[in-house]
């Protein structure tokens, strides 16, 4: 026992604990923790996961493997262990060794009960336990068994293995209790949402297919299919009904689209979920947009990470007493975040700021925010009219969608208000033509709009697997990379190789790129003349406007993203520019 205790302390020291006293303190706290000793040590953040588990493997005379390739695992061996056992003990069959020995991966060699139970389940077949890092093992478990697999087994067990009755239109009700078999459906749905939050997903899509129920997360703007238990289609009605109950929707209405909202608490984090359903030929499809309320406290001008020129221009615009500043871009490009950063930077007791949004995504302290409710007649236009009677200095309109809203916003700017809003356009100059298409008088537009601020989100490099990369000079010249200006910095270009931290994508997180078009006299003249988009774009570029792709190169040279990501996000804009 003494040698084991000393071996564990040595492993802690080798993996990052600075002193024997620190190692002893961590060992003691882990011993008294409700979690397993190994989990508590790993969760402390005081040790390197791979180094610590490698030393544990040496201590218990077990082989250590730093990675698991789930694509090489024989799926037939997964049936050896029930999903609930795998989820409880984190032991996964990963292959066959010599003499038909079954190789079992684990990260906690101290779990002797799990190892004993695994050997019992295997039977007479010989086993070899292999220690692997916890992160790739958990990832492999989700890939092989699917999120919530143990709960799915629990549901089937409660039904006696019968699947047919789950295909009926029986709906769950809000007073579910722990003894009700359908309580497992609640647990399964919670696991799906909890996993999405852990993966930093912004959206969850539950989509009935002809013979399957597909669940996808949108992470960093890209959809990823979630590994789920096979036969999940049998839970389609129960899962969607549960989500509709949580969102306070009519669970009996399946023929019409519905919208709802869920307030969730995930530890110290409060999550606001916007829910939407649509009827499809295979059943109702449901989408969830996840918004963390805690982010509302962290808005600041520095969050945008603008370059010096952009920052100076925006600060000058924010200091103006009146006019309109419009942020443009497609859905999900970060327009609301930029507006919140603008408002937070100028929010003070001397200014009255009122917003009207659909919906209010984040709460800003000291700002009066209105949630649009079209069902009772509270639209952008009607709300904006009443806002102007409230003596505001600054007004933010969530989106300009029609002539009426645009007209009121412009007249508000003419009467001494600073107005912010958004438009769905491909680039900054496209905002001009969009407003002209709404039949806004050109002279009003020219006299009130101060700037158009277009943006996109690009994925940032995973710092755990980013590696230097080189590109053919011809390719860089073809995509518009500024070779002459930055030829000495080509060695800074990087690309992600893919690792467990980034789901093998090479990217983790997102950052914005911008296109700022400040309206000058030349553009005002063209606006009054109703010039076409190509002339407006040429005039803006001649005035020094930097395009989205050009700003993207700044992120590439700073090592924040890749050439491929900038090209992917701006390819539509580049194609439009070529057409012009």
């Amino acid at each position: 026992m003494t040698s084991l205790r000393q071996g564990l302390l040595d492993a802690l020291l080798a993996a990052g604990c600075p002193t024997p006293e620190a190692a002893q303190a961590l060992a003691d706290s882990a011993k008294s923790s409700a979690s397993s000793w190994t989990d508590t040590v790993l969760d402390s953040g005081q040790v390197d996961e791979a180094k610590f588990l490698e030393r544990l493997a040496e201590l218990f005379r077990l082989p250590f493997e730093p990675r698991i390739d789930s694509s090489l695992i024989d799926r037939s061996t997964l049936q050896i262990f029930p999903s609930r056992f795998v989820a409880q003990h984190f032991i996964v069959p990963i292959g066959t060794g010599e003499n038909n020995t079954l190789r079992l991966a684990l990260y906690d060699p101290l779990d002797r009960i799990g190892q004993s139970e695994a050997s019992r389940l295997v039977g007479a077949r010989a086993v070899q336990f292999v220690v692997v890092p916890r992160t790739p093992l958990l990832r492999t478990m989700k890939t092989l068994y699917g999120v919530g697999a143990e709960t799915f087994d629990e549901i089937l067990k409660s039904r006696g293995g019968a699947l047919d009755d789950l295909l009926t239109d029986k709906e769950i009700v809000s007073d579910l209790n722990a003894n009700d078999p359908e309580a497992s459906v609640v647990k399964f749905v919670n696991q799906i949402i909890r996993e999405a939050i852990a993966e930093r997903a912004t959206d969850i899509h539950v989509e009935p297919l002809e013979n399957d129920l597909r669940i996808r997360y949108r992470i960093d703007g890209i959809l990823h299919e979630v590994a789920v238990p096979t036969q999940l289609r049998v839970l389609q009605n129960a899962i969607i009904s549960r989500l509709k109950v949580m969102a306070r929707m009519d669970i009996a209405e399946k023929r019409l689209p519905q919208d709802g909202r869920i307030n969730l608490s995930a530890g110290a984090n409060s999550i606001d979920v916007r829910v939407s359903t649509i009827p499809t030929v295979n059943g109702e499809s449901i989408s969830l947009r996840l918004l963390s309320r805690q982010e509302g406290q962290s808005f600041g001008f520095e969050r945008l990470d603008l370059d010096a020129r952009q920052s100076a221009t925006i600060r000058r615009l924010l200091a103006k007493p009146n006019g309109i500043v419009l942020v443009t871009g497609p859905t999900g490009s970060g327009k609301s975040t930029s507006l919140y950063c603008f408002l937070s930077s100028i929010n003070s007791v001397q200014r009255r700021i009122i917003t009207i949004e659909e919906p209010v995504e984040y709460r800003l302290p000291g700002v009066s925010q209105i949630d649009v409710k079209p069902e009772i007649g509270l639209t952008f236009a009607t709300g904006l009219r009443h806002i102007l009677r409230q003596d505001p200095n600054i007004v933010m309109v969530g989106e300009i969608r029609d002539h009426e809203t645009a007209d009121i916003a412009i007249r508000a700017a003419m009467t001494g208000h600073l107005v912010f809003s958004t438009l769905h356009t491909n680039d900054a100059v496209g905002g001009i033509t969009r407003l002209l298409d709404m039949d806004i008088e050109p002279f009003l537009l020219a006299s009130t709009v101060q700037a158009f601020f277009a943006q996109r989100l690009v994925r940032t490099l995973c710092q755990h697997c980013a590696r230097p990369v080189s590109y053919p000079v011809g390719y860089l010249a073809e995509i518009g990379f500024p070779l002459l200006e930055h030829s000495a910095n080509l060695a800074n270009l990087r690309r992600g190789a893919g690792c467990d931290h980034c789901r093998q994508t090479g990217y983790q997180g997102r950052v914005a790129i911008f296109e700022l078009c400040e309206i000058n006299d030349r553009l005002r003249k063209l606006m009054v003349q109703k010039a076409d988009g190509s002339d407006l774009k040429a005039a803006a570029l001649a005035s020094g406007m930097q395009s989205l792709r050009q700003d993207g190169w700044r992120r590439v040279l700073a090592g924040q993203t890749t050439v491929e990501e900038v090209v992917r996000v701006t390819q539509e804009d580049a194609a439009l520019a070529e057409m012009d």
Side-chain angles (χ1 to χ4, degrees), residues 77-104:
T77 61
L78 303 181
Q79 302 175 4
I80 295 173
F81 297 148
S83 300
R84 296 191 69 184
F85 169 82
V86 174
Q88 181 179 359
H89 294 287
F90 306 100
I91 298 177
V92 178
I94 58 171
T96 302
E98 297 180 0
N99 301 321
N100 200 33
T101 299
L102 182 63
R103 302 176 73 242
L104 302 177

Side-chain angles (χ1 to χ4, degrees), residues 70-304:
S70 59
S71 64
L72 301 178
I73 296 176
D74 182 3
R75 277 7 187 216
S76 65
T77 61
L78 303 181
Q79 302 175 4
I80 295 173
F81 297 148
S83 300
R84 296 191 69 184
F85 169 82
V86 174
Q88 181 179 359
H89 294 287
F90 306 100
I91 298 177
V92 178
I94 58 171
T96 302
E98 297 180 0
N99 301 321
N100 200 33
T101 299
L102 182 63
R103 302 176 73 242
L104 302 177
L106 52 79
Y107 72 83
D108 188 1
L110 291 170
D111 182 10
R112 298 300 182 88
I113 295 176
Q115 295 171 52
S116 175
E117 181 66 12
S119 298
R120 185 189 68 80
L121 290 170
V122 170
R125 187 175 178 182
V127 299
Q128 178 190 39
F129 293 100
V130 179
V131 179
V132 299
R134 181 174 66 171
T135 300
L137 180 62
L138 296 180
R139 178 78 63 191
T140 300
M141 285 173 50
K142 293 171 188 173
T143 301
L144 297 177
Y145 291 90
V147 177
E150 70 278 13
T151 305
F152 184 75
D153 285 353
E154 182 180 312
I155 296 170
L156 295 187
K157 184 178 180 181
S158 70
R159 299 270 181 166
L163 302 180
D164 292 341
D165 58 339
L166 288 171
L167 291 170
T168 67
D169 288 337
K170 178 184 175 183
E171 305 290 0
I172 61 174
V173 293
S174 56
D175 59 344
L176 292 169
N177 56 73
N179 296 321
D180 190 330
E182 297 294 355
S184 298
V185 175
V186 177
K187 182 179 177 182
F188 181 83
V189 170
N190 289 345
Q191 285 177 291
I192 292 295
I193 298 176
R194 192 181 299 114
E195 177 68 14
I197 294 170
E199 294 283 357
R200 302 176 299 103
T202 56
D203 299 85
I204 305 172
H205 299 289
V206 181
E207 305 162 302
L209 305 179
E210 185 175 358
N211 298 308
D212 197 6
L213 181 65
R214 180 172 66 182
I215 298 178
R216 293 191 287 177
Y217 296 157
R218 188 175 294 279
I219 303 171
D220 295 333
I222 305 296
L223 283 173
H224 299 268
E225 186 165 0
V226 180
V228 293
T230 57
Q231 298 180 308
L232 186 63
R233 179 74 162 79
V234 301
L235 291 182
Q236 174 180 323
N237 290 330
I239 291 172
I240 292 178
S241 293
R242 170 58 187 167
L243 288 168
K244 290 172 72 174
V245 167
M246 294 173 70
R248 294 178 173 83
M249 295 178 177
D250 182 358
I251 61 174
E253 179 56 74
K254 300 173 181 291
R255 301 166 300 169
L256 296 173
Q258 294 188 66
D259 294 309
R261 208 160 185 168
I262 305 172
N263 293 321
L264 297 177
S265 177
N269 197 14
S270 182
I271 308 294
D272 189 28
V273 185
R274 289 152 48 185
V275 186
S276 172
T277 68
I278 56 172
T280 72
V281 293
N282 295 314
E284 285 183 286
S285 177
I286 189 163
S287 295
L288 294 81
R289 167 67 59 89
L290 309 179
L291 299 168
S292 175
R293 291 182 184 172
Q294 263 56 37
E295 290 189 47
Q297 308 300 321
S298 63
F299 291 106
F301 198 80
E302 64 284 350
R303 178 172 174 174
L304 297 176

Side-chain angles (χ1 to χ4, degrees), residues 31 33 93 155 311 314 337 429 492 579-580:
K31 186 176 181 181
S33 172
I155 296 170
S311 179
I314 289 295
T337 298
V429 175
N492 296 335
M579 290 173 61
D580 291 340

Side-chain angles (χ1 to χ4, degrees), residues 268-455:
N269 197 14
S270 182
I271 308 294
D272 189 28
V273 185
R274 289 152 48 185
V275 186
S276 172
T277 68
I278 56 172
T280 72
V281 293
N282 295 314
E284 285 183 286
S285 177
I286 189 163
S287 295
L288 294 81
R289 167 67 59 89
L290 309 179
L291 299 168
S292 175
R293 291 182 184 172
Q294 263 56 37
E295 290 189 47
Q297 308 300 321
S298 63
F299 291 106
F301 198 80
E302 64 284 350
R303 178 172 174 174
L304 297 176
D305 193 21
L306 301 164
D307 67 19
R309 182 181 174 186
Q310 293 168 341
S311 179
T313 302
I314 289 295
R315 289 187 184 278
R316 186 172 66 252
L317 293 169
L318 295 179
K320 290 181 178 292
N322 54 62
I324 300 179
V325 176
L326 291 164
V327 182
T328 73
T331 301
S333 59
K335 299 187 298 297
S336 296
T337 298
S338 293
L339 287 175
Y340 286 139
C341 290
F342 295 163
L343 295 180
S344 294
S345 67
I346 56 178
N347 187 15
S348 68
V349 294
Q350 288 80 30
R351 291 188 177 97
R352 177 159 168 76
I353 303 175
I354 305 179
T355 76
I356 180 164
E357 310 166 58
E358 185 186 17
V360 173
E361 295 185 2
Y362 305 107
R363 310 294 170 84
L364 294 177
V367 176
S368 300
Q369 296 174 270
I370 303 171
D371 213 341
V372 166
K373 294 182 175 63
E375 64 274 13
I376 61 172
L378 180 55
T379 64
F380 280 119
T382 56
L384 187 52
R385 283 197 188 93
H386 289 278
I387 285 175
L388 298 179
R389 300 170 189 166
Q390 291 284 315
D391 186 34
N393 299 101
I394 298 162
V395 176
M396 193 268 273
V397 184
E399 183 185 346
I400 292 179
R401 298 175 180 173
D402 51 42
H403 169 81
E404 186 180 12
T405 306
D407 186 62
I408 298 171
I410 284 175
R411 296 187 185 281
M414 293 177 64
T415 55
H417 302 88
L418 184 59
V419 181
F420 297 94
S421 191
T422 69
L423 283 171
H424 286 102
T425 65
N426 289 309
D427 57 11
V429 175
I432 299 174
T433 54
R434 177 61 56 84
L435 290 173
L436 290 174
D437 289 341
M438 291 181 184
D439 294 327
I440 300 300
E441 291 292 343
F443 72 91
L444 291 177
L445 195 61
S447 61
T448 55
V449 177
Q450 301 291 339
F452 292 90
F453 189 67
Q455 66 180 78

